[in-house]
Amino acid sequence: MSAVIPEATDVVLHASSAASGGEPFVEQPVAYDAILLAGFGGPEGQDDVIPFLRNVTRGRGIPDERLEEVAHHYRHFGGVSPINGQNRALKAALEAELEARSIALPVYWGNRNWAPYLEDAVAEAAGRGHTTLLAFATSAYSSFSSCRQYREDFARVLDGSEYDGVVTIDKIRPFYDHPGFVQAFVAGVHDAVEEYLADGVAADAIQVLFSTHSIPSTDAERSGPRDIDWGPGGAYAAQHEAVAAWVMDRVAELTPAAAEVPWELVYQSRSGPATQPWLEPDVCDVIGELAGRGRQAVVVVPVGFMSDHMEVLWDLDTEAKEAAEQAGLRFVRTPTPGVSPAFAAGIVDLIQERLEGRPDADRARVASVGGSFDVCRPGCCENVRAGFKRAAAGVLP
């Protein structure tokens, strides 16, 4: 891959003065007032499920009958998504880590699709005099749904509101390559492989599957900055592949026999019409083929996920586990970063990068293939279906 970073040619909406010039890395200190924890959101009761799914799919004209087909995942767990509880725990962990480092920044939490909404969080922050915000979006990789859609929502909240021209929102870079994020995957794969080996399973009879959310192929191809040749699957696939390879290399350093363990990147949780191509292969389809490849055990790694929310609990802990049982395979699903001390510390490291204006060369990274910019580049992560909308924290469009 090669990259030529273009000069900024347009404005950066709702940015701090340090980020408004459009340079890819903000290498000067910024006196932020507060942290904005930006989440996806999830229902917290049976009555919330359909209204929540309407929010997630707004603008797409999907009838409630089709939404109910997805709703049964939430119904199975009492209509409660774990994601809001996990974000409450993450907020508390961040506040504790910030306090431990004597960083006096409050953390406001707002969601894109359910209460508390981003609008509420921005209003609360501004009401307390906190107007220079640094956002941490709870998705690690580059794509429309995991990065640009958050930026569009930041702009939507501020455009034309009483906070337009008053509140600024910068965004922490995609953090797929930060050691605080990937550490949980190394530990999980290592523990699972060690256990299988100790039980007499040969290394080449173990399969590691790194699983992430599938996205439409056309969106994947446009993920990440347009000036980098990512190959098939765009930045989204390339970043996941790089993390998976790095994790397996670290596990092999800890347990040399693990170098013979095969692995691959798989996808899950696809939606949309069957005629629309999405990233493949599907995790359950691959699990169904593993016995024919001579595998006896599978390790499923939720490498695309920050915490154990619905896609992990249902698609992996329920459906993928059932697929392994039907195939006669032993099954382990490794932990997500969650609110582990390493991950909380890693997020605060990312915050300190921006507070200090830390040079890019001095930032902590592993397995980086690029795209991890403070200010997103022109044309980054286009939504093919809807086109470009106004988005904060990046050079237009």
Side-chain angles (χ1 to χ4, degrees), residues 287-373:
I287 288 174
E289 300 169 356
L290 291 180
R293 301 184 200 175
R295 310 291 192 263
Q296 300 172 12
V298 60
V299 180
V300 175
V301 188
V303 70
F305 303 95
M306 219 182 70
S307 60
D308 290 5
H309 48 76
M310 192 58 67
E311 284 82 356
V312 175
L313 295 181
W314 181 264
D315 297 354
L316 298 184
D317 291 357
T318 304
E319 293 186 337
K321 183 178 180 180
E322 289 176 357
E325 290 172 352
Q326 292 170 5
L329 300 171
R330 296 178 61 175
F331 176 91
V332 170
R333 194 271 290 176
T334 68
T336 52
V339 293
S340 65
F343 186 44
I347 297 172
V348 177
D349 287 345
L350 290 162
I351 292 169
Q352 285 192 305
E353 285 181 0
R354 302 297 294 275
L355 290 171
E356 300 169 2
R358 189 178 303 166
D360 177 57
D362 296 335
R363 298 181 181 186
R365 283 195 172 94
V366 302
S368 185
V369 292
S372 190
F373 297 124

Side-chain angles (χ1 to χ4, degrees), residues 107-321:
V107 180
Y108 296 95
W109 165 44
N111 294 321
R112 293 182 41 241
N113 298 298
W114 201 247
Y117 289 101
L118 285 169
E119 292 90 335
D120 303 326
V122 170
E124 182 182 3
R128 296 182 180 179
H130 301 142
T131 58
T132 306
L133 309 182
L134 178 62
F136 175 82
T138 53
S139 296
Y141 298 87
S142 297
S143 75
F144 170 73
S145 57
S146 57
C147 186
R148 187 180 179 99
Q149 197 166 18
Y150 283 91
R151 300 196 296 111
E152 289 183 357
D153 278 328
F154 298 155
R156 176 184 56 79
V157 167
L158 295 180
D159 281 349
S161 75
E162 61 184 295
Y163 309 114
D164 195 340
V166 176
V167 172
T168 64
I169 302 177
D170 293 344
K171 180 181 174 294
I172 288 172
R173 62 182 172 93
F175 55 90
Y176 75 93
D177 57 0
H178 195 280
F181 174 66
V182 300
Q183 182 172 320
F185 304 125
V186 174
V189 174
H190 176 255
D191 290 348
V193 169
E194 281 273 288
E195 182 176 347
Y196 283 148
L197 292 172
D199 286 349
V201 182
D204 60 2
I206 302 168
Q207 178 75 44
V208 177
L209 298 178
F210 289 90
S211 190
T212 190
H213 207 299
S214 185
I215 61 175
S217 297
T218 51
D219 284 349
E221 290 164 3
R222 290 165 174 78
S223 59
R226 297 297 78 220
D227 51 320
I228 297 177
D229 180 9
W230 299 101
Y236 187 73
Q239 290 170 357
H240 282 87
E241 287 274 3
V243 171
W246 189 87
V247 168
M248 292 306 295
D249 285 347
R250 301 293 80 70
V251 172
E253 289 175 357
L254 296 168
T255 301
E260 304 302 318
V261 173
W263 66 271
E264 66 179 289
L265 178 65
V266 297
Y267 298 92
Q268 62 175 89
S269 313
R270 72 149 290 162
S271 59
T275 54
Q276 182 183 38
W278 283 53
L279 293 179
E280 296 178 335
D282 177 78
V283 59
C284 291
D285 291 345
V286 172
I287 288 174
E289 300 169 356
L290 291 180
R293 301 184 200 175
R295 310 291 192 263
Q296 300 172 12
V298 60
V299 180
V300 175
V301 188
V303 70
F305 303 95
M306 219 182 70
S307 60
D308 290 5
H309 48 76
M310 192 58 67
E311 284 82 356
V312 175
L313 295 181
W314 181 264
D315 297 354
L316 298 184
D317 291 357
T318 304
E319 293 186 337
K321 183 178 180 180

